[in-house]
């Protein structure tokens, strides 16, 4: 056995120690299951063994399944077989005739906690890092080897649904209260407590394996309290939307499993698991949120051969909302920060943002006052450029005006070291254009943070025409220090995220001009999985910003530039009706003082509605518009990898995670289907949906963007 070992003691209690030979953490895969089957059989057949202690040699007890393997294509039969093998591995422990006690010495999640649940007794170490839970819903799955069934029996239906549908992990004290562990003890006492429990001679036969056992909810929905609980859970799922099938599958699994004999309940769980694993949604979520994200954070786009760098001192130019956020996350990462603005009071106001963020964390018990003070002490608020001396990197976050940015660049470069990186946080202005003000264009790069910086994990790194690979490496090293997720794109108007995001908001404007009711426009977007409707987003942006971008493009490109389809609606709102967004007092929405915002009633007068629309088609239009523009970014070389495209879409502007991202969406719809449907949209709604020759050629060859797309096809949202 490569991933575990058995140690026997004179008292007859054997210890099975998990210790993955290839990974830093124990994970569930075929090799682990094979070893576990062998170990369980050996322990069951060894007459000298009276009981088994299951623990880990690693700091964590066990993580879940090896997600790198779950992203591949599975049909339902393969998926069910995988589930059942793990399920039978757990049943072999339960029916071995020997009592098993899990000493959970650290984190136990997913399949790792299912393993512990299969033991007759669970002892958890009293350590805040020793979290337990079943988070499978977060990757589009459910526990597939008995987790839903045992959790329902141990903790009850309501607790099981709460933990399974939220995917949340719990600390030791709560785990004990919820009855999903039996004891919480200091780490040094855990093994002795396990031996003490085994010495009591516990019954190795589980209650559900005894004649006469009755399932917890044998009466089904005839119990009013249970019926209400399931109804409330179904309503909560409906409120979030049905794009992700896992929550409904979990609800059905628990409902059915709580009424069935134990082994039949396990079989039901396995079938629902197989259905989810063979569905493209789970594969999309796993690939983007785990595999691609982890690879990006480990330096997938970092140039090879460039020595590792570390930013010890950073200059942040501009103490507005973005600059203040950048200063805070940098200081929080242990970096000395010079936060500079036009005068000291403005710079100090930016520094005060850190206190605002920290106060909320202190209230929640997630931060101590002394640590908060230490972070703020790293930030120096100033209007003196001389303090930038010694900065390894500077992030410019001043007003989006080329002249102001150029002046800021020249003043900073007069002070900072020759080898320092100069980064602009611009979201729209071309980096190569801004680099013209620099004496060192090879050390000039775009580092586009998202707002609010302290909560948004994505950072878009933009390569200018002269940006060196060494500068890119240094920028990525800085982002790694901040523990954020980078994507790398090449320079263009709007780069990638801003360019594609605007197709979403403009599609909403186009729908308004077509006569689609405003509430339908907003709800269709949210039904597709977007976090907010386009009209609400436009109000927050103010109409001046997207129209300014359009006007700049018209001035620079003239007739070559085609304005987005939503521009007429924005111009009408701002220029004719005098409503340009929330900051101006109202836009598509009204904002009554002391009341909730609501759609402006005057929209019906100025944008007459029609009944000639189909909600499913509206949902697809939102997704297709963004996916098509992303494909153009790949074709033009703005994007170099589908992974960057999907990460940017999901974590940059909230493209629905169930799709995996804009490019994964094309793959799982099927590129041939996507092109054919886009042609139909182009004929009906305009050339913005028209596929390029490049995309048509890929479709003709059946050439997906990923080597292996998740199994199945998505026909619609």
């Amino acid at each position: 056995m490569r991933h575990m070992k058995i140690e026997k003691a004179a008292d007859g209690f054997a210890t099975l120690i998990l210790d993955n030979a290839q990974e830093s953490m124990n994970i569930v895969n075929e090799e682990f299951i094979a070893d576990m089957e062998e170990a369980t059989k050996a322990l069951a057949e060894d007459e000298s063994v009276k009981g088994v202690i299951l623990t880990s040699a690693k700091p964590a007890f066990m993580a879940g399944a090896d997600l790198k393997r779950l992203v591949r294509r599975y049909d339902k039969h393969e998926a069910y077989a995988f589930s059942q093998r793990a399920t039978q591995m757990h049943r072999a422990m339960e029916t071995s005739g020997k009592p098993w006690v899990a000493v959970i010495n650290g984190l136990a999640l997913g399949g790792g906690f299912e393993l512990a649940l299969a033991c007759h007794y669970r002892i958890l170490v009293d350590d805040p890092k020793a979290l337990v839970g079943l988070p499978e819903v977060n990757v589009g799955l459910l526990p597939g080897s008995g987790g839903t069934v045992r959790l329902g029996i141990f903790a009850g239906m309501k607790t099981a649904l709460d933990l399974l549908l939220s995917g949340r992990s719990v600390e030791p004290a709560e785990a004990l209260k919820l009855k999903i562990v039996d004891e919480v003890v200091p780490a040094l006492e855990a093994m002795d407590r396990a031996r003490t429990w085994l010495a009591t001679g516990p019954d190795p036969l589980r209650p559900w394996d005894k004649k006469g056992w009755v399932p917890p909810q044998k009466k089904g929905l005839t119990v009013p309290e249970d019926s209400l609980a399931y109804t409330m859970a179904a309503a909560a799922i409906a409120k979030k939307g049905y794009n992700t099938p896992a929550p409904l599958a979990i609800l059905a699994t628990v409902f059915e499993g709580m009424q069935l004999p134990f082994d039949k309940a396990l079989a039901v769980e396995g079938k629902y698991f197989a259905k989810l694993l063979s569905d493209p949604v789970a594969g999309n979520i796993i690939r983007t949120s785990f595999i691609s994200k982890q690879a990006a954070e480990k330096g997938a786009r970092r140039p090879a051969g460039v020595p590792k760098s570390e930013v010890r001192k950073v200059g942040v130019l501009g103490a507005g909302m973005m600059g203040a956020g950048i200063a805070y996350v940098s200081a929080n990462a242990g970096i000395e920060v010079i936060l500079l603005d036009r005068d000291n009071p403005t710079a100090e106001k930016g520094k005060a943002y850190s206190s605002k963020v920290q106060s909320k964390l202190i209230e929640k018990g997630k931060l101590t006052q002394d640590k908060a003070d230490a972070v703020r002490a790293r930030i120096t608020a100033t209007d003196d450029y001389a303090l930038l001396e010694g900065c390894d990197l500077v992030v410019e976050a001043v007003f989006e005006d080329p002249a102001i940015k150029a002046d800021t660049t020249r003043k900073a470069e007069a002070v900072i070291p020759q080898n320092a990186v100069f980064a602009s946080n611009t979201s729209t202005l071309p980096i190569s254009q801004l680099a013209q003000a620099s004496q060192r264009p090879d050390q000039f790069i775009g580092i586009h943070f998202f707002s609010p910086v302290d909560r948004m994990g994505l950072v878009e790194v933009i390569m200018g025409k002269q940006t060196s690979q060494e500068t890119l490496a240094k920028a990525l090293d800085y982002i790694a220090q901040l523990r954020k997720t980078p994507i790398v794109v090449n320079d263009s108007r709007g780069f990638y995220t801003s360019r594609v995001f605007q197709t979403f908001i403009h599609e909403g404007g186009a729908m308004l001009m077509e006569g689609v009711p405003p509430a339908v426009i907003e709800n269709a977007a949210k039904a597709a999985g977007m976090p907010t409707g386009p009209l609400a987003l436009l109000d927050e942006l103010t109409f001046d910003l997207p129209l300014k971008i359009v006007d700049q493009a018209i001035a620079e490109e003239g007739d070559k530039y085609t304005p987005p389809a939503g521009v007429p609606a924005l111009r009408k709102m701002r220029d004719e009706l005098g409503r340009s967004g929330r900051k101006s007092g109202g836009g598509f929405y009204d904002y009554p003082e002391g009341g909730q915002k609501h759609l402006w009633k005057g929209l019906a007068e100025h944008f007459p509605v029609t009944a000639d629309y189909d909600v499913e088609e509206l949902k697809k239009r939102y997704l297709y518009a963004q996916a098509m523009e992303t494909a153009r970014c790949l074709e033009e070389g703005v994007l170099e990898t589908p992974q960057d495209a999907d990460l940017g879409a999901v974590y940059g502007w909230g493209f629905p995670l169930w799709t995996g991202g804009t490019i994964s969406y094309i793959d799982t719809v099927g590129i041939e289907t996507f092109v054919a449907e886009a042609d139909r949209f182009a004929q009906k709604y305009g050339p913005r949906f028209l596929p390029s020759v490049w995309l048509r050629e890929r479709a003709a060859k059946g050439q997906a963007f990923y080597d292996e797309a998740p199994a199945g096809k998505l026909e619609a949202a």
Side-chain angles (χ1 to χ4, degrees):
M1 297 183 296
R2 294 192 62 208
H3 303 296
M4 59 193 69
K5 63 180 179 179
I6 297 172
E7 292 181 353
K8 290 195 272 187
D11 57 10
F13 303 143
T15 303
L16 179 58
I17 304 170
L18 308 178
D19 193 3
N20 190 302
Q22 298 168 312
E23 304 282 350
S24 60
M25 191 172 285
N26 297 312
I27 53 177
V28 180
N29 54 28
E30 289 85 351
E31 291 87 349
F32 165 78
I33 293 174
D35 276 4
M36 198 68 196
E37 289 168 339
E38 181 182 342
T40 302
K41 185 174 184 293
L43 290 164
E45 293 176 352
D46 190 335
E47 294 183 1
S48 69
V49 173
K50 296 186 293 183
V52 181
I53 300 170
L54 177 65
T55 192
S56 167
K58 298 183 183 296
F61 179 75
M62 191 172 202
D66 185 351
L67 293 180
K68 295 188 293 293
R69 302 194 185 191
L70 293 188
V71 78
R72 76 167 182 83
R73 291 181 187 271
Y74 278 87
D75 62 33
K76 287 183 181 179
H77 298 293
E78 286 180 304
Y80 183 71
F82 175 77
S83 167
Q84 289 306 287
R85 187 178 179 193
T87 296
Q88 293 309 312
M89 172 190 76
H90 291 154
R91 287 297 276 149
M93 295 162 55
E94 286 185 325
T95 59
S96 65
K98 313 283 175 73
W100 287 61
V101 53
V103 172
I104 309 171
N105 59 302
L107 175 144
L109 298 177
F113 191 49
E114 285 189 281
L115 182 69
L117 289 173
C119 291
H120 299 75
Y121 200 74
R122 285 159 298 287
I123 298 173
L124 179 60
V125 300
D126 192 4
D127 183 334
K129 293 182 181 179
L131 301 173
V132 298
L134 298 171
E136 285 85 349
V137 69
N138 296 325
V139 292
L141 295 172
L142 56 74
S145 55
T148 68
V149 181
R150 293 186 179 90
L151 196 67
I153 293 172
F154 295 150
M157 173 264 291
K158 291 181 182 178
T159 296
L161 286 178
D162 169 45
L163 295 177
L164 292 166
L165 291 174
S166 69
R168 68 186 182 93
S169 304
V170 298
E171 293 186 0
E174 185 180 5
L176 184 63
K177 182 179 179 181
L178 295 178
K179 300 179 181 178
I180 57 178
V181 299
D182 298 291
E183 286 189 58
V184 172
V185 302
L188 294 176
E189 298 176 16
M191 292 298 289
D192 287 340
R193 286 296 307 142
R195 284 191 150 76
T196 299
W197 180 78
L198 287 172
T200 65
D203 185 356
L205 193 62
R206 306 299 276 155
W208 45 84
D209 288 323
K210 295 178 180 179
K211 188 176 181 180
W213 181 76
V214 178
Q217 290 183 330
K218 183 68 174 176
K219 295 181 180 180
L221 295 182
T222 60
V223 179
E225 185 182 358
D226 293 345
S227 177
L228 178 62
Y230 283 116
T231 302
M232 296 285 286
I237 293 169
K239 188 176 181 180
K240 293 182 179 179
Y242 293 112
N243 293 315
T244 305
L248 277 177
I250 288 170
L251 185 62
T253 302
V254 173
F255 173 67
E256 295 177 36
M258 295 286 280
Q259 301 177 61
L260 295 171
F262 191 79
D263 285 317
K264 287 187 177 180
L266 293 177
V268 166
E269 179 192 77
K271 289 175 182 177
Y272 277 109
F273 174 85
K275 185 177 180 181
L276 292 175
L277 185 56
S278 58
D279 188 285
V281 169
N284 284 336
I285 294 173
I286 292 169
R287 181 169 60 202
T288 298
S289 69
F290 177 77
I291 296 172
S292 297
K293 186 172 183 288
Q294 192 175 81
E297 291 166 356
K298 288 183 176 180
R301 296 302 310 279
R302 191 183 188 279
V306 179
K308 186 83 171 175
S309 65
E310 181 182 3
V311 173
R312 293 184 176 85
K313 182 178 180 181
V314 65
V316 180
L317 314 182
M321 183 174 67
M322 293 301 296
I326 296 166
Y328 169 69
V329 298
S330 298
N332 201 45
I335 301 170
E336 180 187 352
V337 179
I338 303 299
L339 179 59
L340 185 146
D341 213 303
R342 61 181 180 273
D343 54 54
N344 274 319
T346 304
E348 287 290 350
K349 184 179 178 182
K351 180 177 178 178
Y353 176 79
S354 295
S355 299
K356 182 180 177 182
V357 174
Q358 290 173 328
S359 64
K360 295 178 181 177
L361 296 173
I362 292 171
E363 285 176 15
K364 295 177 181 178
K366 295 182 177 180
L367 181 67
T368 59
Q369 188 63 55
D370 59 333
K371 289 184 178 179
D373 294 341
V375 169
R376 286 199 308 279
R378 296 188 192 107
I379 303 175
T380 301
T382 184
D383 61 358
D384 186 359
Y385 277 84
L387 295 185
L388 296 176
E389 183 179 358
C391 284
D392 304 295
L393 181 143
V394 167
V395 182
E396 168 270 302
V398 301
F399 187 70
E400 289 283 276
D401 182 293
I404 296 174
K405 289 181 181 289
D407 182 58
T408 302
T409 302
R410 284 189 287 268
K411 288 179 179 177
E413 285 191 348
V415 179
I416 61 177
Q418 283 293 318
N419 63 345
V421 169
F422 191 100
S424 176
N425 180 58
T426 181
S427 60
T428 57
L429 298 174
I431 291 300
S432 301
Q433 176 185 323
L434 296 178
Q436 292 174 6
S438 172
Q439 296 296 312
R440 321 157 195 170
D442 60 317
Q443 293 166 224
F444 197 103
I445 195 167
I447 300 182
H448 175 208
F449 290 88
F450 293 79
S451 182
V453 179
D454 52 289
R455 295 205 300 269
M456 295 293 283
L458 189 84
V459 181
E460 183 179 30
V461 180
I462 306 104
M463 295 287 286
K465 291 179 181 177
Q466 298 182 62
T467 305
S468 71
Q469 292 294 294
E470 182 180 359
T471 298
L472 172 60
K474 288 181 176 180
L476 292 174
D477 289 342
Y478 167 60
I479 294 166
Q481 283 180 255
L482 303 185
R483 296 178 179 268
K484 291 189 178 289
T485 307
I487 62 169
V488 180
V489 307
N490 292 313
D491 201 9
S492 78
R493 183 178 303 283
F495 319 130
Y496 164 52
T497 57
S498 297
R499 171 176 166 178
V500 179
F501 170 70
Q502 62 90 27
T503 66
F504 168 63
I505 57 176
H506 282 297
E507 200 62 29
M511 291 175 185
L512 191 67
M513 294 298 292
E514 294 166 15
V516 179
V520 174
I521 292 171
E522 299 290 79
N523 289 331
K526 288 185 277 189
M530 298 299 296
T532 310
L535 305 183
L537 283 170
L538 280 163
D539 265 17
E540 295 298 329
L541 287 171
T542 74
F543 305 166
D544 291 337
L545 179 58
L547 288 175
K548 180 183 178 182
I549 294 169
V550 169
D551 290 338
Q552 284 178 337
I554 291 173
E556 292 177 18
E557 298 183 30
D559 294 340
K560 294 180 182 178
Y561 177 74
T562 302
V567 168
L570 298 186
R571 292 207 191 281
K572 183 173 183 176
M573 287 289 293
R574 186 189 70 175
D575 302 338
E576 296 180 27
L577 305 177
R579 298 177 66 89
S580 58
R582 184 168 190 166
K583 287 184 180 178
S584 70
F588 295 115
Y589 284 78
D590 268 333
Y591 301 88
E593 189 174 344
Q596 286 191 330
K597 73 176 185 180
H598 56 80
L599 284 162
W600 178 44
K601 293 180 180 179
L603 288 174
E605 177 187 348
H606 298 286
F607 299 92
V609 300
T610 175
D612 185 22
Y613 63 86
D614 175 78
V615 172
E616 291 304 313
E617 182 144 306
L618 297 178
K619 290 161 63 177
K620 287 175 71 172
R621 279 174 61 181
Y622 283 128
L623 302 179
Y624 270 64
Q626 297 171 77
M628 182 60 76
E629 194 65 23
T630 302
R632 294 186 185 112
C633 288
L634 274 171
E635 179 181 1
E636 296 168 16
V638 176
L639 286 165
E640 295 181 1
T641 71
Q643 289 86 355
D644 278 342
D646 285 341
L647 285 170
V650 169
Y651 296 106
W653 72 86
F655 194 78
L657 178 58
W658 65 269
T659 67
T662 42
I663 291 300
S664 284
Y665 179 69
I666 296 176
D667 271 3
T668 48
V669 166
I671 190 167
E672 303 96 327
T673 301
F674 182 85
V675 165
E677 189 73 342
D679 272 329
R680 185 177 71 82
F681 283 168
Q683 291 177 2
K684 194 172 180 180
Y685 303 110
R688 63 187 179 278
F689 289 103
L690 199 63
S692 67
V693 173
W694 174 81
L695 194 62
R696 292 183 191 281
E697 289 176 350
R698 290 188 73 104
K701 299 174 185 174
Q703 185 180 357
F705 288 97
Y706 286 94
D707 292 335
E708 184 174 42
K713 297 285 185 180
L714 288 176
E715 296 303 329

